[in-house]
């Protein structure tokens, strides 16, 4: 693509791309915080400043929880990559945080796959894409398993105006579409640039069992951390609910929000809408829930992506 372009020109365009990613990420973060139609940013700031529970001690504790959330995510990525190549924890952190920053600008975090792959030689990139898919799938599996249990308990615990017949019919249609699509893709030899479902399945079968078990364990630990963090923020806002009762709603929220396709930057809005609906049924006011979701987004997405922007700017293509 850039074969006939001088080296200095390539470097200039590469730097320009990196700057565009960082500036674009900063703009989207700023825009989502200040132009959220459901939550006025100034009202949100005033709400926090008037809440005496948000002391240096509690804020520090929340940041520590976010640190461990990403520590285990980075560790999970290091473990996955170790299936074919040993990498240092720092390198895993660099790849994870820079890919987070880039993913803010892409639908459904697709950018995460591309950025992580760029850190490796061309011969290794297919493996990296497959391992990233596995890591996200393990996290989704935990979300679906715990969320399904939580949603079942939630629907039996609270009265909701949900038309179960329509949901069942919609779910059946989705399952048929997914099944037909899966069969069609499985019969197709090439899926994308040499990828096929058969090749991906064969590759996953070759991975050691400990990669799956340790990866799944780390996904569970991450889930436990950020779900507890959500509950802890609720208590700071004066929500009086037992941890188990709150966890029923929290797991339902993450489950429903995760199955809705969305551009990642709108993740805070999707989770906010789902959370407001569920927690309103449980008797918690909308502003408190939107504030909680926004704080979670700032702690676990915005702050890590700011660090990730440093790695984006430092990024250099590997020698193939």
């Amino acid at each position: 693509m850039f074969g006939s372009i001088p080296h200095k020109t390539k470097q200039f365009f590469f730097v320009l791309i990196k700057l565009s990613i960082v500036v674009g990420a900063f703009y989207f973060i700023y825009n989502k915080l200040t132009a959220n139609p459901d939550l006025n940013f100034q009202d949100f700031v005033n709400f926090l400043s008037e809440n005496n529970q948000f002391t240096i001690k509690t804020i520090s504790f929340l940041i520590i929880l976010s640190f461990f959330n990403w520590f285990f995510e980075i560790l999970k990525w290091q473990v996955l990559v170790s299936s074919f190549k040993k990498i240092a924890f720092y390198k895993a952190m660099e790849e994870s945080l820079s890919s987070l920053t880039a993913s803010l600008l892409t639908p459904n975090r697709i950018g995460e796959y591309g950025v992580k792959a760029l850190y490796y030689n061309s011969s290794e990139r297919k493996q990296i894409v497959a391992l990233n898919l596995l890591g996200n799938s393990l996290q989704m599996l935990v979300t679906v398993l715990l969320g399904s249990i939580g949603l079942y308990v939630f629907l039996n615990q609270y009265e909701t105006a949900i038309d179960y017949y329509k949901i069942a019919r919609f779910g059946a249609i989705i399952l048929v579409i997914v099944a037909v699509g899966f069969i069609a893709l499985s019969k197709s030899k090439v899926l994308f640039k040499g990828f096929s479902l058969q090749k991906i399945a064969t590759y996953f079968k070759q991975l050691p069992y400990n990669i799956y078990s340790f990866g799944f364990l780390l996904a569970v630990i991450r889930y436990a951390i950020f779900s507890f963090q959500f509950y802890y923020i609720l208590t700071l806002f004066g929500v009086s609910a037992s941890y188990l009762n709150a966890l029923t709603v929290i797991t339902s929220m993450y489950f429903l929000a995760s199955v809705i396709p969305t551009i990642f930057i709108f993740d805070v809005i999707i989770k906010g809408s789902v959370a407001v609906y569920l927690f309103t049924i449980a008797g918690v006011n909308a502003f408190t829930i939107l504030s909680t979701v926004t704080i979670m987004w700032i702690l676990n997405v915005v702050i890590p992506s700011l660090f990730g922007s440093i790695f984006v700017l430092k990024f250099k293509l590997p020698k193939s």
Side-chain angles (χ1 to χ4, degrees), residues 44-103:
F44 169 68
V45 172
N46 293 337
F47 185 54
L48 293 183
S49 62
E50 293 170 0
N51 192 310
N52 297 326
Q53 296 296 323
F54 282 87
T55 62
I56 295 178
K57 183 179 179 180
T58 56
I59 293 174
S60 299
F61 181 60
L62 288 172
I63 293 175
I64 289 172
L65 289 174
S66 294
F67 169 82
F68 279 108
N69 175 24
W70 272 97
F71 172 83
F72 287 111
E73 171 61 19
I74 294 166
L75 182 60
K76 182 172 61 144
W77 179 240
Q78 184 187 25
V79 168
L80 291 172
V81 177
S82 71
S83 63
F84 81 98
K85 184 177 185 177
K86 301 294 181 183
I87 63 171
F89 184 84
Y90 181 84
K91 180 172 172 55
M93 177 177 67
E94 183 178 0
E95 294 169 9
S96 298
L97 295 183
S98 61
S99 63
L100 170 68
T101 303
S103 70

Side-chain angles (χ1 to χ4, degrees), residues 7-57:
H7 179 67
K8 288 186 177 180
T9 305
K10 290 181 185 179
Q11 287 185 318
F12 172 76
F13 279 113
F14 191 58
V15 171
L16 188 62
I17 291 171
K18 293 192 293 184
L19 286 173
S20 299
I21 291 173
V22 172
V23 172
F26 279 27
Y27 171 75
F28 277 118
I29 290 171
Y30 171 80
N31 187 59
K32 288 304 136 190
L33 288 175
T34 59
N36 188 339
D38 298 319
L39 182 66
N40 183 276
F41 185 68
Q42 190 57 53
D43 291 341
F44 169 68
V45 172
N46 293 337
F47 185 54
L48 293 183
S49 62
E50 293 170 0
N51 192 310
N52 297 326
Q53 296 296 323
F54 282 87
T55 62
I56 295 178
K57 183 179 179 180

